[in-house]
Amino acid sequence: MSALKVLSSPHQHSQKSLSQLMLAVCLATSLGLLAQLYFFGIGVLIQIVLAISTALACEALVLKLRKRPLNTTLKDNSAVLSALLLALCIPPLAPWWVIVIGTFFAIVFVKQLYGGLGANIFNPAMAGYVLLLISFPVQMTSWLPPAELMPIQLSFIDQLSLVFTGSSSAGLSLEQVRSGIDGVTMATPLDTIKTDLSKGLTVSESLAQPIFTSFAGAGWQWVNLGYLIGGLYLIKARLINWHIPVAMLSSLGLCAVVGIMIDPDTSAGPILHLFSGATMLGAFFIATDPVSAATTNKGRLIYGAAIGILVYLIRTYGGYPDAVAFAVLLLNMAVPLIDFYTQPRVYGDTKDS
Amino acid sequence: MSNLHADIKELIYQGNWKNNPALVQLLGLCPLLAVTGTVTNALGLAIATLFVLVGSNVTVSLVRNFVPKDIRIPVFVMIIAAFVTIIQLLINAYAYGLYQSLGIFIPLIVTNCAIIGRAEAYASKNTPILSMIDGIMMGLGFGLVLIVLGAMREILGQGTLFDGAHLLLGDWATNLSITLYQVDNAFLLAILPPGAFIGMGLLIAGKNVIDQQIAAKNKTTNTATRAPRARVTSMD
């Protein structure tokens, strides 16, 4: 019987070993990462270093407690990838303990307590992100304005000290750094629209804000473009299937088109939905996590499309400006059901039996 | 007499550990998860539940021979509801602050399956004295879990212990409140329901680990005397 033992996912068909695959995915984020570095400063890198070192330490600790082989598991780079994805979602100058708590939860609770790589139901990075978002809403929404709109330029030392002590070398707090001279806090594009709508402005009035310089919000559009290109590379290199990202992006875009046709005053257009927030990162790097996503092709289409719809619904009607993490976690729960109903027909079996 | 002693010992072990209503039977989870945000709330609910459990167990046991089998459940529910009403009025009168912070979860003790579970499984088949002891032990086991979970969540979430104890115990208890560490940002997750679920999971896991270690210890002491047995069937 043991010869027929079915291994749990990921069952990706690729010549690459697991650790090479994970590393390739990490590298594919580099364009978006560079854009993030350019627009939001070196703080992004500080968060990544913190996240990866925490992840490796936590993984080693749990593996030791579980008496599992240390080296092979640590070298598979899956913890590194989870940590990297989580760090990319964190505001770059968030206090150091935010990312440490988030990574600890992601690795120890969401990944290892469920049995380690391949057995986790939820996407570790996104579960860690949601934990942080509901626990520390202030820190988790303190995004910097993109560099071109930054009132004060921060040096590396400033950013380092903001992350670790909460104030820059000149003694300014993160809140002061973000708001600049006129005291108006800059927010992310999605946040801006949400706030403006609640103030009774229309979307077109909101789009006149300085954060919307070109098609989908300063900085963010380039970050999203970067992840789009990285994601296309992943599909080209056959590291991920096209089903999930295509389904997710098209359903999100479709929802946005319908929304803007019905109510143009309070709906952000499809371009804005597709190129702001975590859309691209989510579609190509997060929703495609081979362990927690659906595993049949039909199932992947359903899974991706449902995520897209949920993202649109939560962004439009929910309390939070962005929704990729919530949508992915909700669909993670539905994966066993989706997989059950979309099992491909066994070769030789008739359709109606 | 020694028989009674053995019974009581067994009840203590069953209620607090082996068959703990919260950790093993997983009964009464709704109030358990909902009100354990602070130790004070947990303690208040623990005392209320203990009182109701003892009262209902004794009463059910007293009337067990007069209640027709077919309508026993409604009768048990009425008895429990009567005790819950008493405790609700008492808390309302003497601990109004706690009454407000426990809110709907006091009347909801009626629906706590741990109570009707004991009435059906134990009190309706045993003598009043044993039923009373069973009620106390089950109540204690449930209360202990409530308090431990409340302490975990309060320490993680607010960095305090016994915050607001004066609501339950009177003005002298204001000094009981201990601030372990000062936080600018409460760790909201610990106070929110997900934190309760995670904390509960950790407690259950902790209990299972202890049980396993005890079992492993017993096994190592016993293996020497037992002959090795060939395993003929295998699951995998």
Side-chain angles (χ1 to χ4, degrees):
Chain A
M1 190 64 203
S2 62
L4 292 174
K5 215 173 204 170
V6 178
L7 286 173
S8 63
S9 53
H11 310 284
Q12 289 283 13
H13 294 285
S14 169
Q15 278 77 33
K16 291 195 161 107
S17 74
L18 183 61
S19 82
Q20 280 172 319
L21 184 142
M22 294 284 177
L23 206 61
V25 178
C26 287
L27 288 177
T29 61
S30 55
L31 262 184
L33 171 64
L34 281 177
Q36 249 174 306
L37 274 177
Y38 175 76
F39 288 106
F40 302 109
I42 200 84
V44 182
L45 217 54
I46 303 175
Q47 302 287 354
I48 292 176
V49 170
L50 274 172
I52 291 180
S53 35
T54 312
L56 289 177
C58 291
E59 183 113 316
L61 182 78
V62 180
L63 288 173
K64 213 168 163 75
L65 284 176
R66 293 180 62 205
K67 302 190 180 74
R68 291 292 164 99
L70 259 185
N71 251 338
T72 45
T73 315
L74 277 183
K75 274 191 193 146
D76 72 12
N77 288 329
S78 61
V80 172
L81 179 60
S82 293
L84 175 69
L85 291 176
L86 179 58
L88 289 176
C89 306
I90 300 275
L93 295 184
W96 61 272
W97 44 265
V98 167
I99 186 78
V100 170
I101 291 176
T103 318
F104 170 82
F105 182 78
I107 299 295
V108 174
F109 278 76
V110 186
K111 187 177 166 197
Q112 291 292 349
L113 281 191
Y114 280 94
L117 181 70
N120 49 306
I121 304 169
F122 296 105
N123 183 321
M126 285 304 100
Y129 178 80
V130 165
L131 168 106
L132 293 175
L133 187 61
I134 59 173
S135 294
F136 312 110
V138 178
Q139 285 78 8
M140 286 300 286
T141 48
S142 295
W143 279 91
L144 293 176
E148 57 207 81
L149 296 175
M150 261 308 260
I152 309 165
Q153 295 306 322
L154 294 169
S155 69
F156 173 70
I157 302 294
D158 277 337
Q159 304 201 16
L160 205 61
S161 99
L162 267 168
V163 170
F164 283 98
T165 66
S167 60
S168 74
S169 47
L172 292 172
S173 72
L174 183 56
E175 205 44 44
Q176 288 166 315
V177 169
R178 288 176 62 217
S179 51
I181 331 153
D182 52 1
V184 180
T185 313
M186 296 281 185
T188 62
L190 287 172
D191 225 355
T192 311
I193 288 198
K194 189 136 208 119
T195 321
D196 283 350
L197 284 178
S198 69
K199 282 194 276 186
L201 298 175
T202 62
V203 168
S204 48
E205 281 170 316
S206 179
L207 289 179
Q209 300 256 18
I211 185 103
F212 298 105
T213 45
S214 48
F215 61 101
W220 288 95
Q221 57 202 15
W222 304 114
V223 173
N224 272 288
L225 262 181
Y227 289 128
L228 172 62
I229 296 167
L232 291 177
Y233 159 74
L234 286 183
I235 293 178
K236 182 95 193 8
R238 308 194 55 169
L239 294 172
I240 57 173
N241 291 69
W242 58 268
H243 304 79
I244 293 174
V246 167
M248 175 180 160
L249 294 177
S250 46
S251 78
L252 176 61
L254 198 70
C255 285
V257 168
V258 172
I260 207 163
M261 281 193 327
I262 294 171
D263 193 358
D265 275 351
T266 59
S267 317
I271 302 289
L272 194 68
H273 269 297
L274 290 177
F275 285 94
S276 59
T279 309
M280 291 297 171
L281 181 69
F284 289 101
F285 293 91
I286 289 165
T288 53
D289 169 25
V291 180
S292 57
T295 48
T296 61
N297 281 344
K298 219 198 292 168
R300 287 188 179 118
L301 288 175
I302 298 171
Y303 174 84
I307 290 179
I309 294 168
L310 273 180
V311 167
Y312 180 77
L313 288 178
I314 300 176
R315 275 184 185 174
T316 315
Y317 303 106
Y320 288 96
D322 205 353
V324 173
F326 293 111
V328 167
L329 287 189
L330 284 171
L331 261 292
N332 282 166
M333 289 183 220
V335 159
L337 188 76
I338 296 175
D339 279 351
F340 180 80
Y341 281 109
T342 58
Q343 272 178 18
R345 195 160 53 94
V346 176
Y347 181 69
D349 206 358
T350 48
K351 228 171 205 170
D352 42 34
S353 70
Chain B
M1 202 62 205
S2 66
N3 201 6
L4 185 67
H5 261 286
D7 278 348
I8 293 174
K9 245 187 194 163
E10 180 64 18
L11 283 177
I12 295 174
Y13 177 57
Q14 290 280 345
N16 287 307
W17 188 260
K18 173 92 192 297
N19 210 4
N20 186 306
L23 291 182
V24 180
Q25 305 179 45
L26 299 180
L27 293 177
L29 281 188
C30 167
L32 179 91
L33 297 171
V35 303
T36 50
T38 64
V39 179
T40 309
N41 281 356
L43 189 64
L45 190 81
I47 295 172
T49 311
L50 177 71
F51 176 84
V52 174
L53 197 49
V54 173
S56 75
N57 259 12
V58 171
T59 318
V60 166
S61 174
L62 283 173
V63 300
R64 70 185 191 278
N65 295 327
F66 311 107
V67 178
K69 260 269 174 276
D70 308 327
I71 57 158
R72 67 187 191 286
I73 298 290
V75 172
F76 294 167
V77 172
M78 300 254 283
I79 293 170
I80 296 167
F83 278 103
V84 171
T85 311
I86 295 171
I87 198 96
Q88 185 184 5
L89 292 174
L90 281 174
I91 296 180
N92 194 349
Y94 294 105
Y96 189 62
L98 187 75
Y99 179 77
Q100 283 184 315
S101 69
L102 287 182
I104 185 71
F105 291 101
I106 303 174
L108 276 183
I109 296 174
V110 179
T111 61
N112 189 328
C113 336
I115 297 172
I116 189 121
R118 288 332 283 171
E120 166 73 9
Y122 195 88
S124 63
K125 292 166 193 144
N126 288 287
T127 59
I129 305 236
L130 283 178
S131 298
M132 184 184 75
I133 296 164
D134 178 70
I136 296 174
M137 289 313 150
M138 285 289 163
L140 275 181
F142 186 69
L144 278 178
V145 176
L146 274 172
I147 292 166
V148 171
L149 192 58
M152 278 166 57
R153 291 175 67 191
E154 192 176 342
I155 292 172
L156 268 180
Q158 308 176 349
T160 59
L161 258 183
F162 298 108
D163 187 32
H166 58 280
L167 297 178
L168 177 65
L169 305 169
D171 284 335
W172 64 272
T174 320
N175 304 327
L176 267 183
S177 173
I178 311 164
T179 306
L180 295 173
Y181 59 92
Q182 202 71 47
V183 279
D184 299 331
N185 313 287
F187 186 44
L188 278 177
L189 184 95
I191 303 177
L192 291 171
F197 276 102
I198 295 170
M200 188 67 194
L202 289 177
L203 283 183
I204 295 173
K207 182 194 177 286
N208 290 344
V209 167
I210 295 174
D211 277 346
Q212 271 176 10
Q213 278 177 351
I214 293 172
K217 220 182 210 171
N218 290 344
K219 215 176 189 180
T220 47
T221 50
N222 288 346
T223 39
T225 55
R226 272 191 201 158
R229 234 179 62 191
R231 207 163 162 192
V232 282
T233 51
S234 165
M235 293 299 286
D236 48 29

